[in-house]
């Protein structure tokens, strides 16, 4: 098959020694988190280890100030303060349903972590029932339990990472909790064929596998180094019994071809001007280079989205996402591509995702010209009642004090039958 010529099995390139899960002892993890470390002690540890605080690239910051003051209004000042203070950033912990996680769950709860998506919210967020993020199902060696797949902390407390061990599965994955939203919007079901077009480093592919058991999950990454990173991530989280269902492709995502497979769902987590990292460009020269790259990115992003819409089946879904606040890389890309696909229709994510999760995230519904005006002082009501805002082209998670998740933009598009 053409696909098999283009796609390389992860499991053929990496040897798995065992299926044994990597179980960290409760005592070991608890010792890393004494009560006095909850808020500020982690920062002190960083200082003790001799790590230097990252310096801000003024060129990038000046551009952000100019652009985001106009696009976000009053939201930018508070978002700016978050992005300039990495010590305030919160972290999520996504549990791996293919391992025993009871001890990890108890440790998380004892340290003040709480469930990101309570099971009672499943019906309102995702109508796929058992296939939702919160009801992992269908793996004989991993029966469902009552634990949530993701935990978050109200303060910037980071759980310790687990080292990669060939042949052993990790119990959890650390991530920005907002990065789960595009996967949630994708509504993956058991038995579907899913394409992760820009897959490295693999966090969203792992989240897909926590949602359901697809017939095929094709993880595409053309860059060799990033592809190796992706393969190692998959090795650390996906059991041997599912090796045949997860494959890695090395195609150029802008011209992705799949003659033998039409995908039910496609995720385009596009390369973007990552606001969190770009603010800390290593030098002025790197900052200049990144600003030049920023101007070229919308063309690449639009072509990736066109490619995704070309390989999804009629009636199938494409989710486009980035981790930037930039309207030119978000709403404008979606609007541009929709003009080329009259059979593609954006779907409203406001009631499905933004309203139920407004307790954890600050959402901005649409950019000026799509139901809002640029002179509005704030695009959120004072009482945080988000139910009155319409949305079609996408929703944007804006980092704010106390809810520092994001940036994360997501848009869902359905190919009409």
């Amino acid at each position: 098959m053409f696909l098999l010529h283009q796609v390389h099995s992860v499991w053929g390139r990496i040897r798995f020694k065992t299926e044994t899960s990597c179980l960290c002892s409760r005592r070991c993890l608890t010792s890393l988190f004494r009560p006095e470390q909850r808020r500020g002690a982690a920062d002190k540890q960083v200082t003790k280890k001799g790590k230097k605080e990252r310096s801000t690239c003024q060129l990038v910051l000046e551009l952000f100030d100019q652009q985001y003051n106009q696009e976000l209004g009053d939201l930018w000042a508070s978002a700016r303060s978050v992005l300039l203070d990495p010590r305030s950033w919160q972290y999520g912990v996504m549990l791996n349903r293919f391992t025993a996680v009871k001890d990890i769950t108890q440790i998380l709860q004892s340290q003040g972590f709480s469930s990101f998506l309570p099971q009672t919210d499943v019906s309102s967020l995702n109508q796929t029932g058992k296939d939702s993020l919160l009801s992992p199902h269908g793996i004989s060696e991993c029966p469902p339990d009552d634990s949530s797949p993701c935990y978050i902390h109200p303060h910037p407390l980071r759980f310790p990472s687990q080292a990669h061990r060939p042949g052993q599965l990790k119990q959890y994955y650390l991530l920005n909790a907002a990065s789960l939203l595009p996967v949630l919007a994708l509504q993956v079901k058991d038995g579907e064929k899913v394409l992760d077009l820009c897959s490295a480093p693999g966090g969203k592919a792992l989240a897909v596998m926590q949602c359901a058991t697809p017939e095929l999950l094709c993880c595409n990454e053309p860059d060799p180094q990033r592809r190796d990173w992706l393969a190692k991530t998959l090795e650390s989280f996906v059991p041997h019994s599912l090796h045949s269902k997860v494959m890695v492709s090395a195609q150029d995502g802008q011209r992705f071809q799949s003659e033998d497979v039409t995908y039910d769902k496609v995720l385009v987590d596009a390369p973007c001007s990552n606001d969190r990292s770009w603010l800390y460009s290593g030098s002025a020269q790197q900052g200049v280079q990144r600003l030049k790259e920023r101007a070229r990115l919308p063309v690449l992003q639009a072509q990736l989205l066109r490619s995704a819409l070309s390989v999804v089946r009629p009636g199938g879904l494409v989710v486009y996402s980035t981790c930037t606040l930039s309207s030119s890389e978000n709403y404008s890309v979606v609007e541009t591509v929709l003009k080329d696909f009259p059979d593609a229709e954006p779907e409203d994510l406001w009631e499905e995702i933004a309203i139920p999760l407004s307790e954890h995230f600050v959402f901005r519904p649409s950019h000026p010209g799509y139901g809002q005006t640029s002179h509005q002082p704030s695009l959120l009501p004072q009482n945080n009642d988000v139910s009155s805002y319409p949305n079609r082209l996408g929703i944007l998670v804006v980092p704010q004090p106390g809810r520092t998740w994001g940036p994360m933009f997501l848009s869902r598009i359905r190919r009409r039958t």
Side-chain angles (χ1 to χ4, degrees):
M1 295 192 307
F2 178 85
L3 177 66
L4 295 181
H5 289 293
Q6 296 294 327
V7 178
H8 308 285
S9 170
V10 177
W11 324 117
R13 300 195 301 115
I14 295 182
R15 295 181 61 186
F16 285 79
K17 295 181 180 179
T18 70
E19 294 180 53
T20 306
S21 62
C22 177
L23 300 178
C24 294
S25 70
R26 180 185 176 93
R27 181 179 179 182
C28 176
L29 283 174
T30 303
S31 67
L32 293 174
F33 284 96
R34 297 182 177 89
E36 66 270 17
Q37 290 181 314
R38 284 204 179 180
R39 179 109 188 193
D43 300 332
K44 295 178 183 178
Q45 287 181 338
V46 171
T47 303
K48 289 179 180 179
K49 290 179 181 179
K51 292 183 179 180
K52 297 180 180 179
E53 290 189 4
R54 290 181 284 182
S55 58
T56 306
C57 179
Q58 289 301 312
L59 285 174
V60 175
L61 181 58
E62 289 172 6
L63 176 67
F64 283 7
D65 283 336
Q66 179 181 1
Q67 180 179 354
Y68 295 152
N69 266 320
Q70 181 179 3
E71 294 182 0
L72 298 176
D74 284 355
L75 278 179
W76 170 238
S78 47
R80 184 184 194 271
S81 67
V82 170
L83 294 175
L84 292 176
D85 184 15
R87 293 175 297 179
S88 72
W89 297 356
Q90 294 163 272
Y91 298 90
V93 181
M94 180 173 65
L95 301 182
N96 185 8
R97 67 175 173 128
F98 305 114
T99 65
V101 295
K102 183 177 181 180
D103 286 347
I104 300 297
T105 301
Q106 292 175 349
I107 294 168
L108 287 167
Q109 292 172 344
S110 71
Q111 296 300 328
F113 284 83
S114 59
S115 180
F116 160 48
L117 293 172
Q119 290 201 359
T120 53
D121 289 344
V122 177
S123 60
S124 62
L125 288 173
N126 190 338
Q127 300 300 321
T128 59
K130 70 176 184 179
D131 301 314
S132 70
L133 263 172
L134 305 179
S135 301
H137 192 118
I139 305 300
S140 59
E141 65 269 45
C142 180
D145 57 32
D146 295 329
S147 63
S148 167
C150 188
Y151 285 80
I152 59 176
H153 200 281
H155 303 308
L157 177 63
R158 183 165 185 170
F159 209 62
S161 60
Q162 291 181 312
H164 170 73
R165 298 180 181 180
Q168 295 185 335
L169 299 183
K170 294 184 181 181
Q171 294 168 288
Y172 57 86
Y173 184 85
L174 303 181
L175 76 173
N176 184 329
S179 65
L180 290 176
L181 301 183
V183 177
L184 187 63
L186 201 59
Q187 297 184 338
V188 179
K189 300 178 183 179
D190 287 350
E192 291 187 323
K193 297 175 182 178
V194 183
L195 170 62
D196 186 359
L197 192 62
C198 312
S199 192
K204 291 181 177 62
L206 298 182
V208 168
M209 296 303 295
Q210 304 307 311
C211 292
T213 306
E215 177 182 336
L216 170 67
L217 172 60
C218 180
C219 302
N220 187 67
E221 177 53 55
D223 181 82
Q225 290 185 336
R226 288 177 60 82
R227 193 164 61 250
D228 287 343
W229 185 8
L230 167 65
K232 184 178 291 187
T233 301
L234 294 171
E235 177 192 7
S236 293
F237 287 88
V238 181
H240 181 80
S241 59
L242 296 180
H243 290 186
S244 62
K245 296 181 180 293
V246 182
M247 308 183 80
V248 171
S249 168
Q251 292 193 53
D252 180 353
Q254 299 178 82
R255 290 172 286 276
F256 191 88
Q257 298 181 22
S258 180
E259 295 180 356
D260 299 311
V261 176
T262 301
Y263 291 94
D264 301 290
K265 308 287 171 63
V266 181
L267 175 63
V268 187
D269 188 41
C272 67
S273 52
N274 186 316
D275 293 347
R276 284 191 183 228
S277 65
W278 281 29
L279 269 174
Y280 300 96
S281 301
S283 64
Q285 183 178 4
Q286 186 182 39
V288 171
Q289 183 61 37
R290 283 182 164 175
L291 294 184
K292 291 179 180 179
E293 181 182 350
R294 183 181 177 93
R296 297 191 296 265
L297 278 170
V299 175
L300 167 64
Q301 294 157 343
Q303 189 54 42
L304 288 168
L305 183 52
R306 291 187 184 97
S307 180
L309 287 167
S310 298
V311 297
V312 72
R313 66 169 175 82
L317 294 176
V318 172
V319 170
Y320 172 80
S321 63
T322 74
C323 51
T324 179
L325 298 168
S326 176
S327 177
S328 62
E329 299 180 48
N330 296 334
Y331 307 99
S332 296
V333 168
V334 175
E335 182 185 27
T336 297
V337 173
L338 287 175
K339 294 177 181 178
D340 300 330
F341 288 84
D343 62 340
E345 181 178 7
E347 295 191 339
D348 196 328
L349 295 173
W350 197 246
E351 292 187 5
E352 180 181 326
I353 291 180
I355 292 177
L357 295 179
S358 60
E359 175 185 354
H360 303 295
F361 305 97
V362 175
F363 291 94
R364 183 178 186 271
S366 58
H367 69 98
Y370 294 94
Q372 306 294 335
T373 57
S374 59
H375 61 268
Q376 287 180 294
S378 173
L379 295 172
L380 291 176
Q382 292 182 354
N383 62 359
N384 200 36
D385 178 13
V386 297
S387 61
S388 61
Y389 287 132
N391 170 72
R392 292 292 286 176
L393 293 181
I395 54 177
L396 179 67
V397 178
V398 182
Q400 295 289 285
R403 290 180 284 178
T404 62
W405 314 108
M408 181 59 60
F409 172 81
L410 56 151
S411 175
R412 186 171 70 202
I413 303 169
R414 184 180 296 274
R415 285 288 299 268
R416 297 191 189 96
T417 55

